Amino acid sequence: MVGFDLDGTLLDTSRDLGHALNHALALAGRPPVPLGDVRRHVGGGAAQMLRSALRESGGVDEAAFAGLQARLVAFYAENIAHHTALFAGGAAMLDALAARGVTLAIATNKAEGLAVRLLEELGLASRFAAIIGGDTLGRERAKPAPDMLHEMVRRCGGGRAAFVGDTTFDIGAARAAGLPVVAVRFGFCDLPPDDLGADAVIDHYDDLVDVLEQLGNSGQV
């Protein structure tokens, strides 16, 4: 089986996340984050994204934070797929893996309900045997802890598995879970892609099937 992170790995969600983030920042009287800069705030879920942006614009008001996060999530839920799409080559890559009988899954720090809703709106949910969100097992067990990936493999019936991600959260979780991991160079990487510590790094989804086969032939998958 092959598992995927969602934001910045399988889907380019940066513009929809950016509009939601800027909605919350405006409510807090803070300046917006340019949409081209949103990617560096993404990776650990909505709370971390909001905290990161607030810290850069004057600090976090803890008394107001929970309410502000709720407003961000509510706005995002209502505007979740206006600008979001698979990264280039993603559909063909998913088709190629499915044609080989590979079970597909999602493990994302996005809340499970939002992940399911987004994939359903994009017509992709039925492709995945399991969709594990950052709150599925409790936030303390989200990536980079290995728990979500262990649960992902369990729900998919066990056996050999690999993971694909774009941040230290993903690579850390895969390493802790004992899974080989591929990083995507086009994602929301919080370190230079080649410094993430993945087993392989790809520039385009056209390369993923071959890379997974190479890892399999080397005994890593």
Side-chain angles (χ1 to χ4, degrees):
M1 66 149 294
V2 177
F4 294 87
D5 172 54
L6 203 56
D7 299 282
T9 297
L10 195 63
L11 300 177
D12 185 354
T13 55
S14 59
R15 289 183 63 82
D16 287 323
L17 287 172
H19 286 301
L21 176 60
N22 286 335
H23 174 75
L25 292 174
L27 293 174
R30 304 293 179 85
V33 174
L35 293 180
D37 291 340
V38 168
R39 293 176 171 221
R40 61 191 174 83
H41 297 291
V42 180
Q48 175 164 310
M49 178 177 69
L50 180 57
R51 282 186 181 279
S52 177
L54 287 170
R55 288 191 192 105
E56 286 192 357
S57 61
V60 180
D61 179 353
E62 293 296 343
F65 183 80
L68 196 60
Q69 181 186 344
R71 299 286 291 277
L72 184 159
V73 171
F75 182 94
Y76 181 63
E78 292 303 315
N79 301 275
I80 199 167
H82 292 325
H83 306 287
T84 292
L86 286 163
F87 280 105
M93 174 273 296
L94 293 174
D95 288 342
L97 289 174
R100 288 166 168 76
V102 176
T103 301
L104 305 175
I106 296 291
T108 173
N109 278 351
K110 185 191 291 293
E112 180 181 334
L114 291 176
V116 171
R117 180 171 183 169
L118 175 55
L119 290 165
E120 286 178 344
E121 290 205 19
L122 295 174
L124 297 171
S126 63
R127 289 179 176 264
F128 301 99
I131 300 172
I132 311 294
D135 57 347
T136 301
L137 304 176
R139 281 293 173 186
E140 71 281 357
R141 299 172 69 186
K143 296 177 293 183
D147 306 52
M148 292 169 58
L149 301 194
H150 288 316
E151 178 67 8
M152 177 190 75
V153 173
R154 186 191 70 78
R155 291 191 187 186
C156 291
R160 297 195 304 169
F163 195 64
V164 184
D166 68 316
T167 68
T168 54
F169 295 91
D170 303 315
I171 279 66
R175 288 284 177 238
L179 299 183
V181 59
V182 178
V184 297
R185 206 181 299 277
F186 46 78
F188 302 166
C189 308
D190 54 346
L191 287 178
D194 293 299
D195 294 339
L196 287 169
D199 295 293
V201 183
I202 59 171
D203 295 304
H204 192 282
Y205 270 128
D206 289 353
D207 303 326
L208 182 62
V209 173
D210 287 344
V211 166
L212 290 172
E213 288 180 344
Q214 291 166 15
L215 291 175
N217 290 336
S218 68
Q220 291 178 262
V221 178

Short mmCIF file of all heavy atoms in Angstrom, two decimals, residues 5 7 17 21 41-52 65 69 72-73 76 108-111 114 133-135 139 142-143 167 169:
data_model
loop_
_atom_site.label_atom_id
_atom_site.label_comp_id
_atom_site.label_asym_id
_atom_site.label_seq_id
_atom_site.Cartn_x
_atom_site.Cartn_y
_atom_site.Cartn_z
N ASP A 5 0.37 12.09 2.38
CA ASP A 5 -0.05 13.32 3.03
C ASP A 5 -0.96 14.06 2.05
O ASP A 5 -0.97 13.77 0.85
CB ASP A 5 1.19 14.15 3.38
CG ASP A 5 0.84 15.52 3.90
OD1 ASP A 5 0.06 15.61 4.86
OD2 ASP A 5 1.34 16.51 3.33
N ASP A 7 -2.15 18.05 2.18
CA ASP A 7 -1.77 19.43 1.84
C ASP A 7 -0.31 19.52 1.45
O ASP A 7 0.58 19.17 2.22
CB ASP A 7 -2.02 20.35 3.05
CG ASP A 7 -3.47 20.39 3.47
OD1 ASP A 7 -4.25 21.08 2.80
OD2 ASP A 7 -3.82 19.70 4.45
N LEU A 17 -6.39 27.50 1.64
CA LEU A 17 -5.91 27.69 3.01
C LEU A 17 -5.53 29.14 3.25
O LEU A 17 -5.80 29.70 4.33
CB LEU A 17 -4.70 26.79 3.27
CG LEU A 17 -4.97 25.30 3.43
CD1 LEU A 17 -3.66 24.52 3.48
CD2 LEU A 17 -5.78 25.02 4.69
N LEU A 21 -6.89 31.55 6.15
CA LEU A 21 -5.95 32.14 7.10
C LEU A 21 -6.10 33.66 7.12
O LEU A 21 -6.15 34.27 8.20
CB LEU A 21 -4.53 31.75 6.70
CG LEU A 21 -3.39 32.37 7.53
CD1 LEU A 21 -3.51 31.97 9.00
CD2 LEU A 21 -2.04 31.95 6.97
N HIS A 41 3.65 28.24 6.16
CA HIS A 41 2.92 28.13 7.42
C HIS A 41 2.18 26.79 7.55
O HIS A 41 1.63 26.50 8.62
CB HIS A 41 1.90 29.26 7.55
CG HIS A 41 2.51 30.63 7.59
ND1 HIS A 41 3.25 31.08 8.66
CD2 HIS A 41 2.49 31.65 6.69
CE1 HIS A 41 3.67 32.32 8.42
NE2 HIS A 41 3.22 32.68 7.24
N VAL A 42 2.15 26.00 6.47
CA VAL A 42 1.30 24.81 6.43
C VAL A 42 2.11 23.57 6.80
O VAL A 42 3.29 23.47 6.49
CB VAL A 42 0.69 24.65 5.01
CG1 VAL A 42 -0.20 23.41 4.94
CG2 VAL A 42 -0.11 25.89 4.63
N GLY A 43 1.45 22.61 7.44
CA GLY A 43 2.09 21.32 7.70
C GLY A 43 1.59 20.64 8.96
O GLY A 43 1.47 19.43 9.00
N GLY A 44 1.32 21.42 9.99
CA GLY A 44 0.94 20.82 11.26
C GLY A 44 -0.52 20.94 11.61
O GLY A 44 -0.91 20.70 12.75
N GLY A 45 -1.36 21.32 10.64
CA GLY A 45 -2.78 21.51 10.90
C GLY A 45 -3.14 22.99 11.04
O GLY A 45 -2.27 23.87 11.02
N ALA A 46 -4.43 23.26 11.19
CA ALA A 46 -4.92 24.63 11.20
C ALA A 46 -4.36 25.44 12.36
O ALA A 46 -4.01 26.62 12.20
CB ALA A 46 -6.45 24.63 11.25
N ALA A 47 -4.26 24.83 13.54
CA ALA A 47 -3.77 25.57 14.71
C ALA A 47 -2.34 26.03 14.50
O ALA A 47 -2.00 27.19 14.78
CB ALA A 47 -3.88 24.71 15.96
N GLN A 48 -1.49 25.15 14.00
CA GLN A 48 -0.10 25.55 13.79
C GLN A 48 0.00 26.60 12.70
O GLN A 48 0.80 27.55 12.82
CB GLN A 48 0.76 24.34 13.43
CG GLN A 48 2.18 24.78 13.08
CD GLN A 48 3.18 23.67 13.07
OE1 GLN A 48 3.27 22.90 14.02
NE2 GLN A 48 3.94 23.57 12.01
N MET A 49 -0.77 26.47 11.63
CA MET A 49 -0.76 27.46 10.55
C MET A 49 -1.12 28.84 11.10
O MET A 49 -0.45 29.84 10.81
CB MET A 49 -1.74 27.05 9.44
CG MET A 49 -1.82 28.05 8.30
SD MET A 49 -2.92 27.50 6.96
CE MET A 49 -4.52 27.61 7.77
N LEU A 50 -2.19 28.90 11.89
CA LEU A 50 -2.64 30.17 12.44
C LEU A 50 -1.62 30.73 13.42
O LEU A 50 -1.30 31.93 13.39
CB LEU A 50 -3.99 29.98 13.11
CG LEU A 50 -4.62 31.23 13.76
CD1 LEU A 50 -4.78 32.35 12.75
CD2 LEU A 50 -5.96 30.86 14.38
N ARG A 51 -1.09 29.89 14.31
CA ARG A 51 -0.08 30.35 15.27
C ARG A 51 1.14 30.91 14.56
O ARG A 51 1.69 31.95 14.96
CB ARG A 51 0.34 29.21 16.19
CG ARG A 51 -0.63 28.88 17.28
CD ARG A 51 -0.07 27.84 18.24
NE ARG A 51 -1.05 27.53 19.27
CZ ARG A 51 -1.26 28.27 20.34
NH1 ARG A 51 -0.53 29.37 20.52
NH2 ARG A 51 -2.16 27.92 21.24
N SER A 52 1.58 30.23 13.52
CA SER A 52 2.76 30.66 12.78
C SER A 52 2.55 32.05 12.19
O SER A 52 3.42 32.93 12.30
CB SER A 52 3.08 29.65 11.67
OG SER A 52 4.17 30.08 10.89
N PHE A 65 -7.42 32.80 20.94
CA PHE A 65 -6.94 31.91 19.89
C PHE A 65 -7.96 30.85 19.49
O PHE A 65 -8.20 30.63 18.30
CB PHE A 65 -5.63 31.23 20.31
CG PHE A 65 -5.06 30.36 19.23
CD1 PHE A 65 -4.33 30.91 18.20
CD2 PHE A 65 -5.27 28.99 19.24
CE1 PHE A 65 -3.82 30.12 17.18
CE2 PHE A 65 -4.77 28.18 18.23
CZ PHE A 65 -4.04 28.75 17.20
N GLN A 69 -9.36 30.34 15.74
CA GLN A 69 -9.14 29.10 14.99
C GLN A 69 -10.48 28.54 14.50
O GLN A 69 -10.58 28.06 13.36
CB GLN A 69 -8.41 28.08 15.84
CG GLN A 69 -8.15 26.77 15.08
CD GLN A 69 -7.55 25.70 15.97
OE1 GLN A 69 -7.06 25.98 17.08
NE2 GLN A 69 -7.58 24.46 15.51
N LEU A 72 -11.56 30.41 11.51
CA LEU A 72 -10.74 30.01 10.35
C LEU A 72 -11.27 28.71 9.77
O LEU A 72 -11.47 28.59 8.54
CB LEU A 72 -9.28 29.87 10.78
CG LEU A 72 -8.24 29.54 9.70
CD1 LEU A 72 -6.85 29.96 10.19
CD2 LEU A 72 -8.21 28.07 9.32
N VAL A 73 -11.47 27.71 10.63
CA VAL A 73 -11.91 26.39 10.17
C VAL A 73 -13.30 26.47 9.54
O VAL A 73 -13.56 25.84 8.51
CB VAL A 73 -11.87 25.38 11.33
CG1 VAL A 73 -12.53 24.07 10.91
CG2 VAL A 73 -10.43 25.13 11.77
N TYR A 76 -12.92 27.97 6.13
CA TYR A 76 -12.29 27.02 5.23
C TYR A 76 -13.26 25.93 4.81
O TYR A 76 -13.32 25.55 3.63
CB TYR A 76 -11.06 26.41 5.90
CG TYR A 76 -10.32 25.42 5.03
CD1 TYR A 76 -9.74 25.83 3.84
CD2 TYR A 76 -10.22 24.09 5.40
CE1 TYR A 76 -9.06 24.92 3.03
CE2 TYR A 76 -9.54 23.18 4.61
CZ TYR A 76 -8.97 23.60 3.42
OH TYR A 76 -8.31 22.70 2.62
N THR A 108 -3.16 12.66 7.05
CA THR A 108 -2.95 14.11 7.02
C THR A 108 -3.18 14.71 8.39
O THR A 108 -4.02 14.22 9.15
CB THR A 108 -3.91 14.76 6.01
OG1 THR A 108 -3.82 16.20 6.11
CG2 THR A 108 -5.36 14.35 6.25
N ASN A 109 -2.46 15.78 8.71
CA ASN A 109 -2.73 16.48 9.96
C ASN A 109 -3.95 17.40 9.86
O ASN A 109 -4.36 17.98 10.87
CB ASN A 109 -1.49 17.28 10.40
CG ASN A 109 -0.48 16.41 11.14
OD1 ASN A 109 -0.76 15.26 11.47
ND2 ASN A 109 0.70 16.96 11.39
N LYS A 110 -4.54 17.52 8.68
CA LYS A 110 -5.83 18.19 8.54
C LYS A 110 -6.88 17.38 9.30
O LYS A 110 -6.81 16.14 9.35
CB LYS A 110 -6.19 18.29 7.06
CG LYS A 110 -7.46 19.08 6.75
CD LYS A 110 -7.88 18.89 5.30
CE LYS A 110 -6.95 19.54 4.31
NZ LYS A 110 -6.93 21.00 4.37
N ALA A 111 -7.85 18.03 9.91
CA ALA A 111 -8.92 17.32 10.60
C ALA A 111 -9.58 16.32 9.66
O ALA A 111 -9.78 16.60 8.47
CB ALA A 111 -9.96 18.30 11.13
N LEU A 114 -12.59 17.49 7.56
CA LEU A 114 -12.22 18.40 6.47
C LEU A 114 -11.54 17.64 5.34
O LEU A 114 -11.79 17.93 4.16
CB LEU A 114 -11.30 19.51 6.98
CG LEU A 114 -11.91 20.52 7.92
CD1 LEU A 114 -10.84 21.49 8.43
CD2 LEU A 114 -13.04 21.30 7.24
N GLY A 133 -7.13 11.49 9.71
CA GLY A 133 -6.87 12.90 9.95
C GLY A 133 -6.10 13.14 11.22
O GLY A 133 -5.90 12.23 12.04
N GLY A 134 -5.69 14.38 11.41
CA GLY A 134 -4.89 14.72 12.57
C GLY A 134 -5.63 14.56 13.89
O GLY A 134 -4.99 14.44 14.94
N ASP A 135 -6.96 14.56 13.84
CA ASP A 135 -7.75 14.38 15.05
C ASP A 135 -8.34 12.97 15.17
O ASP A 135 -9.07 12.69 16.13
CB ASP A 135 -8.86 15.42 15.12
CG ASP A 135 -9.78 15.38 13.89
OD1 ASP A 135 -9.43 14.71 12.88
OD2 ASP A 135 -10.85 16.00 13.94
N ARG A 139 -5.00 14.73 18.79
CA ARG A 139 -3.95 15.59 18.27
C ARG A 139 -2.55 15.22 18.78
O ARG A 139 -1.55 15.45 18.11
CB ARG A 139 -4.25 17.06 18.60
CG ARG A 139 -5.29 17.68 17.67
CD ARG A 139 -4.74 17.81 16.27
NE ARG A 139 -5.77 18.26 15.32
CZ ARG A 139 -5.57 18.34 14.01
NH1 ARG A 139 -4.40 17.98 13.50
NH2 ARG A 139 -6.52 18.77 13.20
N ALA A 142 -0.83 12.92 16.33
CA ALA A 142 -0.69 13.33 14.94
C ALA A 142 0.78 13.29 14.52
O ALA A 142 1.68 13.18 15.37
CB ALA A 142 -1.28 14.72 14.73
N LYS A 143 1.03 13.37 13.22
CA LYS A 143 2.41 13.42 12.74
C LYS A 143 3.13 14.62 13.36
O LYS A 143 2.51 15.68 13.49
CB LYS A 143 2.42 13.55 11.20
CG LYS A 143 1.83 12.38 10.46
CD LYS A 143 1.79 12.61 8.93
CE LYS A 143 0.83 13.71 8.55
NZ LYS A 143 0.73 13.90 7.09
N THR A 167 6.93 17.39 4.26
CA THR A 167 7.47 18.15 5.37
C THR A 167 8.16 17.24 6.38
O THR A 167 8.07 16.01 6.30
CB THR A 167 6.36 18.91 6.12
OG1 THR A 167 5.50 17.97 6.77
CG2 THR A 167 5.55 19.80 5.17
N PHE A 169 7.14 16.79 9.30
CA PHE A 169 6.09 16.04 9.98
C PHE A 169 5.92 14.67 9.32
O PHE A 169 5.78 13.64 9.99
CB PHE A 169 4.76 16.79 9.92
CG PHE A 169 4.76 18.09 10.68
CD1 PHE A 169 5.10 19.28 10.06
CD2 PHE A 169 4.42 18.12 12.02
CE1 PHE A 169 5.10 20.47 10.76
CE2 PHE A 169 4.40 19.31 12.74
CZ PHE A 169 4.75 20.49 12.10
#
